[in-house]
Amino acid sequence: MAERSRRLASGLPVASPPIGSDFSLNGVGAMPEVWRPASVLIPLIKRETGITVLLTQRTEDMPSHAGQIAFPGGRRQVEDIDATATALRETEEEVGLTRDFIDVVGTIDLYRTGTGYQITPIVGIVTPGFTMRADPREVADVFEVPLDHFLDERNHRIDSRVWQGRERRYYAMPYGERYIWGATAGMLKNLHFILTTSA
């Protein structure tokens, strides 16, 4: 993954992941004219029983993606020197996971959302021992899912729903009662591709 991140940063060719945006499964549609930069952290926690992925459930009163399952992250701010700084700052603000517990591996491919965000996913290996402190204004819950769940293609599916008068298709990777879908599932689909395919 680190080599892929280096190649992406250098503009060198890499194998294309299966999905690059919310539009990938829905053909050509009206896209935003301006993309707002954002970053998320994909936190991979080294547990004794295996690697887990830390995810959040957003509160129901958020202005966008309310109630959805997401990675910690958000919009880039002027004080952020790069996409990694955004992801680390937002992660600490949202769930209390500080950067001294995170070993950043690198970035994976950009992901564009139907709400106009261009997201840079940052992969980080997390050492246990941190104290979880969810921001109640943004985060309703924090939980972990075994990475193996997302690496098993039997858990990948394409669902659909009607949105703004059109049927929209999207990836979903439910885990028990957790419905993981949309941009989060799309980025996990890309992570699966990267971890199971050579650059």
Side-chain angles (χ1 to χ4, degrees), residues 28-194:
V28 177
M31 294 191 184
E33 293 182 7
V34 178
W35 297 98
R36 292 169 288 179
S39 296
V40 299
L41 182 72
I42 302 180
L44 305 179
I45 305 176
K46 296 189 298 183
R47 299 293 187 191
E48 290 184 4
T49 54
I51 295 176
T52 64
V53 182
L54 184 143
L55 293 162
T56 70
Q57 180 139 14
R58 294 165 65 84
T59 56
E60 294 292 344
D61 56 357
M62 291 294 288
S64 62
H65 307 288
Q68 293 184 17
I69 290 171
F71 296 113
R75 284 185 77 166
R76 183 169 182 174
Q77 303 296 329
V78 292
E79 67 269 21
D80 297 332
I81 61 171
D82 57 20
T84 299
T86 301
L88 294 176
R89 175 185 54 76
E90 287 279 348
T91 298
E92 184 168 354
E93 291 175 2
E94 290 183 12
V95 301
L97 173 55
T98 57
R99 58 195 70 206
D100 48 313
F101 288 94
I102 304 168
D103 179 19
V104 173
V105 177
T107 63
I108 62 172
D109 303 74
L110 296 175
Y111 189 95
R112 289 177 166 177
T113 71
T115 50
Y117 288 99
Q118 179 167 278
I119 301 173
T120 302
I122 308 295
V123 178
I125 305 298
V126 180
T127 302
F130 56 89
T131 300
M132 196 66 66
R133 188 186 67 254
D135 180 350
R137 297 169 300 176
E138 298 185 48
V139 179
D141 195 13
V142 183
F143 62 98
E144 298 174 33
V145 176
L147 177 61
D148 285 346
H149 175 77
F150 301 119
L151 296 183
D152 187 343
E153 283 194 281
R154 292 173 296 181
N155 297 320
H156 301 187
R157 70 190 204 199
I158 296 174
D159 289 349
S160 68
R161 64 176 58 176
V162 176
W163 185 68
Q164 295 183 342
R166 292 183 55 186
E167 182 181 20
R168 305 280 183 165
R169 302 195 310 153
Y170 52 86
Y171 279 106
M173 302 179 185
Y175 180 73
E177 296 181 354
R178 309 282 189 176
Y179 189 61
I180 303 163
W181 69 286
T184 302
M187 287 182 274
L188 284 164
K189 183 71 174 174
N190 288 347
L191 181 67
H192 163 268
F193 173 84
I194 292 163

Side-chain angles (χ1 to χ4, degrees), residues 3-18:
E3 173 62 15
R4 181 185 182 85
S5 179
R6 185 192 67 78
R7 292 176 69 88
L8 282 170
S10 302
L12 295 172
V14 294
S16 298

